[in-house]
C-alpha cells in the first residue's frame, strides 16, 4: 500500500490531472505533474511541476525517483521512455500502448470477445477504396494515432469523398470504420485493483456534437440498462486482459444488435466527471485509491440523477450565471485562452 503522505506522479497536466491532484490532496497525497508546457492547469493545484518533454529520459528517471507511484492522464505519450518508471507506473505502459493505436486497440478488443463496428486498416488511397467496397458507405476514416475530440477523423458518404477524406486526415495510417446507426452512446467506467477487485459506476448516456462530448446523463435510460450486463462483461474482460490497474473507460454504441465497443481510454474520462458530485466516490478518488492500493470506495449514486454539461470554448463565459444557479456544481479548469472546441470547464447538476 502507498499510504497518505506519499507522492504521486502524474504524466500530463490537463484538467484530468488537475482533478486527480485535487482528489489526491484530499486523501493526503502530494502530486508532481510532468508536462512540457509552461503552465499546465494541473500544476496550479499540485505540489510540484516538472517541465520536460515526455521523451526526456533523464527527466523521467529523476521524476521516477521523486515519486512513490506514477500514473498518466494523457494518452499521446511515447511508450518506450516510460519503461524507466518500471513497476511504479500504474496503469502499466501496456494499457497505454494498446489504447493509443486505433488498429491495435480494435484487434485487442476483438481478441477479448467484444464486438466492434466493421473496420479495416488503411495506409494508402487504394486501401481507402478497397475499404469502401468491403465495409460499405458511409464510413469514417480515423487516424491510427493522436486522435481526440473527433480530431483526425473524416467521413466518406460517397465514392467521390474518398480522396478528400484521405487528404483531410493527412494521408496517415488510419482505420476505416463503418458508420453505426446507434440509438445512444454510453460508457462503462470501472476501476480495477492489482488483485483483481473492481468497481463499476452507473453508465452515463453520452451525447456528442462534432465529435466532442456535450453531455453525460445518469441513469442512462432503459435501452442502455438493457445492454449493460453485456457491456460490463466486455469491459471487465478488457481490463483483465490488460492487467489494468486504475480507472478504465470503455465507450460503447448502443446498436440494435447490442453493445459495440467504440474505443477505450486507460484513464479517468470526461464522461465520468459527474461522479465528483453525483457518486459517493468519484472516478478521480477511486483512481488514486486503486493505484495506491487503498480499499475501493463505494460507487453508488448520491441522488437519483446527475447531468454533466461540458463548457466548450466561449461557453465558459457563462460562468456568472452558472455560479449563481442554485445547486449547480461549476468546474473551471483555469486553462487560459477559450479556443474553439477546447474543454474549458463543466457543470454538474445532481437532482432527485
Ligand atoms: P475520439 O477519440 O475523438 O473520442 P471516437 O472514435 O470516440 O474518437 O469518435 C468521436 C465520436 O464520433 C463518437 O463518440 C461518435 O459520436 C462519433 N463516431 C465515431 N465513430 C463512429 C461510427 N463508426 N459511427 C457513428 N458515429 C461515430
Ligand atoms: Mg471517443
Amino acid at each position: 500500500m502507498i499510504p497518505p503522505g506519499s507522492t504521486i506522479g502524474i504524466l500530463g497536466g490537463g484538467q484530468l490531472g488537475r482533478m486527480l491532484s485535487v482528489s489526491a490532496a484530499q486523501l493526503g497525497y502530494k502530486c508532481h505533474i510532468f508536462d512540457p508546457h509552461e503552465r499546465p492547469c494541473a500544476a496550479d493545484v499540485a505540489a510540484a511541476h516538472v517541465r520536460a518533454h515526455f521523451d526526456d529520459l533523464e527527466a523521467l528517471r529523476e521524476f521516477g525517483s521523486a515519486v512513490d507511484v506514477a500514473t498518466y492522464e494523457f494518452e499521446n505519450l511515447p511508450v518506450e521512455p516510460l519503461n524507466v518508471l518500471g513497476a511504479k507506473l500504474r496503469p502499466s505502459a501496456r494499457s497505454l500502448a494498446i489504447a493509443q493505436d486505433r488498429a491495435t486497440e480494435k484487434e485487442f478488443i476483438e481478441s477479448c470477445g467484444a464486438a466492434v463496428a466493421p473496420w479495416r486498416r488503411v495506409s494508402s488511397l487504394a486501401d481507402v477504396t478497397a475499404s469502401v467496397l468491403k465495409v460499405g458507405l458511409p464510413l469514417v476514416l480515423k487516424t491510427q494515432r493522436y486522435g481526440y475530440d473527433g480530431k483526425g477523423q473524416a467521413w466518406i458518404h460517397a465514392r467521390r469523398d474518398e480522396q478528400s477524406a484521405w487528404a483531410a486526415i493527412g494521408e496517415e495510417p488510419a482505420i476505416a470504420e463503418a458508420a453505426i446507426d446507434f440509438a445512444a452512446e454510453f460508457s462503462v467506467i470501472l476501476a480495477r485493483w492489482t488483485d483483481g477487485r473492481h468497481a463499476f459506476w452507473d453508465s452515463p448516456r453520452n451525447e456528442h456534437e462534432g465529435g466532442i462530448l456535450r453531455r453525460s446523463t445518469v441513469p442512462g435510460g432503459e435501452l442502455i440498462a438493457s445492454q449493460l450486463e453485456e457491456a460490463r462483461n466486455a469491459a471487465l474482460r478488457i481490463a483483465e486482459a490488460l492487467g489494468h490497474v486504475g480507472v478504465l473507460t470503455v465507450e460503447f454504441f448502443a446498436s440494435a444488435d447490442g453493445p459495440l465497443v467504440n474505443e477505450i481510454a486507460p484513464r479517468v474520462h470526461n464522461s465520468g466527471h459527474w461522479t465528483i458530485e453525483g457518486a459517493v466516490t468519484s472516478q478521480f478518488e477511486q483512481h488514486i485509491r486503486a493505484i495506491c492500493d487503498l480499499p475501493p470506495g463505494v460507487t453508488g449514486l448520491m441522488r437519483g440523477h446527475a447531468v454533466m454539461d461540458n463548457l466548450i470554448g466561449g461557453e465558459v463565459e457563462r460562468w456568472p450565471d452558472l455560479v449563481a444557479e442554485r445547486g449547480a456544481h461549476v468546474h473551471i479548469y483555469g486553462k487560459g485562452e477559450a479556443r474553439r472546441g477546447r474543454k474549458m470547464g463543466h457543470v454538474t447538476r445532481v437532482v432527485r
Side-chain angles (χ1 to χ4, degrees):
M1 190 185 57
I2 295 156
S6 305
T7 300
I8 299 170
I10 303 176
L11 294 149
Q15 66 268 19
L16 302 178
R18 180 177 168 107
M19 291 183 271
L20 281 169
S21 188
V22 169
S23 282
Q26 187 182 328
L27 284 168
Y29 295 96
K30 291 173 180 48
C31 287
H32 289 190
I33 306 296
F34 191 108
D35 188 291
H37 294 95
E38 190 182 347
R39 240 196 123 68
C41 72
D44 287 346
V45 297
H49 169 209
V50 177
R51 188 179 181 194
H53 289 284
F54 294 121
D55 58 2
D56 182 337
L57 285 179
E58 205 39 58
L60 277 172
R61 213 170 274 128
E62 208 174 298
F63 177 71
S65 54
V67 303
D68 298 292
V69 61
T71 191
Y72 43 86
E73 61 96 70
F74 176 65
E75 257 162 87
N76 292 321
L77 298 171
V79 170
E80 189 61 27
L82 297 179
N83 290 329
V84 304
L85 298 172
K88 277 191 182 174
L89 188 65
R90 289 180 172 180
S92 77
R94 184 171 137 81
S95 291
L96 189 66
I98 289 169
Q100 72 179 200
D101 181 305
R102 288 194 196 272
T104 315
E105 179 184 40
K106 292 271 189 216
E107 280 163 0
F108 184 80
I109 293 164
E110 290 183 303
S111 77
C112 293
V116 299
W119 71 284
R120 306 220 348 158
R121 282 178 189 263
V122 296
S123 54
S124 66
L125 184 56
D127 290 346
V128 174
T129 302
S131 62
V132 166
L133 298 176
K134 199 87 184 167
V135 172
L137 289 175
L139 65 71
V140 57
L141 296 182
K142 300 180 180 179
T143 53
Q144 235 168 289
R145 289 173 171 270
Y146 306 119
Y148 70 98
D149 287 348
K151 292 184 177 69
Q153 300 190 9
W155 281 87
I156 301 180
H157 297 281
R159 294 295 307 269
R160 64 173 180 280
D161 301 338
E162 287 172 13
Q163 197 159 6
S164 57
W166 178 238
I169 62 156
E171 306 191 353
E172 278 185 51
I175 62 164
E177 188 183 290
I180 299 302
D181 185 19
F182 54 76
E185 290 186 84
F186 67 100
S187 44
V188 170
I189 312 170
L190 64 88
R192 187 174 177 273
W193 275 252
T194 50
D195 63 3
R197 276 178 299 173
H198 58 270
F200 295 102
W201 283 267
D202 275 63
S203 272
R205 174 192 177 113
N206 300 325
E207 295 165 65
H208 293 82
E209 208 175 271
I212 305 179
L213 184 66
R214 187 69 268 164
R215 166 175 284 189
S216 289
T217 307
V218 284
E222 270 175 39
L223 174 72
I224 291 167
S226 73
Q227 300 196 356
L228 203 53
E229 189 180 292
E230 191 179 338
R232 282 184 170 181
N233 288 340
L236 190 57
R237 285 199 302 276
I238 291 167
E240 279 167 357
L242 289 170
H244 192 84
V245 176
V247 170
L248 174 78
T249 306
V250 184
E251 295 180 16
F252 285 89
F253 300 124
S255 81
D257 309 324
L260 293 179
V261 175
N262 172 25
E263 61 170 352
I264 66 175
R267 52 167 172 80
V268 289
H269 196 258
N270 194 172
S271 66
H273 290 358
W274 64 272
T275 61
I276 297 175
E277 296 89 8
V280 178
T281 307
S282 77
Q283 61 169 349
F284 301 101
E285 177 177 337
Q286 196 82 305
H287 184 73
I288 300 299
R289 284 174 174 261
I291 66 172
C292 293
D293 222 9
L294 302 183
V298 170
T299 51
L301 292 181
M302 290 293 284
R303 294 166 90 180
H305 300 263
V307 182
M308 187 283 319
D309 287 297
N310 271 335
L311 299 173
I312 299 168
E315 289 167 6
V316 70
E317 306 304 336
R318 287 170 35 213
W319 69 264
D321 290 338
L322 294 170
V323 293
E325 181 186 322
R326 237 177 113 82
H329 299 283
V330 182
H331 295 252
I332 295 170
Y333 305 147
K335 282 163 80 169
E337 204 197 331
R339 287 195 299 270
R340 196 163 165 265
R342 194 175 193 201
K343 290 171 178 169
M344 301 301 293
H346 72 264
V347 55
T348 300
R349 297 170 174 96
V350 182
V351 291
R352 272 183 212 295

